[in-house]
Amino acid sequence: QKEVEQNSGPLSVPEGAIASLNCTYSDRGSQSFFWYRQYSGKSPELIMSIYSNGDKEDGRFTAQLNKASQYVSLLIRDSQPSDSATYLCAVNDRSAGKSTFGDGTTLTVKP
Amino acid sequence: GAGVSQSPSNKVTEKGKDVELRCDPISGHTALYWYRQSLGQGLEFLIYFQGNSAPDKSGLPSDRFSAERTGGSVSTLTIQRTQQEDSAVYLCASSLGYNTEAFFGQGTRLTVV
């Protein structure tokens, strides 16, 4: 079992819809969770971080964390074609603080 | 402020040659990562430096790969006797410390011919 698992996709949604991206992790003691966006040919960039159970909203993005279920998700409301990218989930381990990345989910938003 | 800087941006090398890739992290960042990404694939973890702790080398794919970090700042990833399967984008990232987000450099595209 991978330490961080994501649906590989691809995920396709129409413009204006809600895109839902999911991630599960294996280390129950993990404390920090991040979502990165990577456009084709570019480096990953941070879009959301979450540390506590519940929801965290930033503009059109909402991160959700459920530590009991070892599950973190990213919702993108009013999806735009410019949101088309690969989304990477990262989880930091409790001891060394090292980020472990999932393989990413590729999202396509169709006009 | 300056971000993570990697050099060179592109490197073409002949099979069997050694290459060195450089990473200048954000000033003050104690953690530094190297990842490899092949076309259309996810990030492959190579090595992690955190402060003065022994580096986590668990991701290095073979003994041809090595990395060092001098003075807690600049890092160099060395690949000896390059093979065609080493062709990929090598990404460096740094973070302020434990449980903080990583900031990525622009990557070095390595092509082994």
Side-chain angles (χ1 to χ4, degrees), chain B residues 10-64:
Chain B
N10 285 283
K11 176 72 176 179
V12 180
T13 190
E14 292 181 352
K15 178 181 174 181
K17 299 285 190 183
D18 297 351
V19 295
E20 286 189 351
L21 311 180
R22 177 187 169 101
C23 174
D24 280 277
I26 294 172
S27 178
H29 279 197
T30 61
L32 187 147
Y33 304 78
W34 283 98
Y35 295 94
R36 178 168 72 174
Q37 190 171 39
S38 300
L39 189 63
Q41 302 300 307
L43 297 177
E44 178 186 1
F45 166 75
L46 296 178
I47 190 168
Y48 169 64
F49 296 90
Q50 173 56 269
N52 294 322
S53 301
D56 178 349
K57 303 180 182 180
S58 60
L60 295 178
S62 77
D63 59 8
R64 296 187 295 105

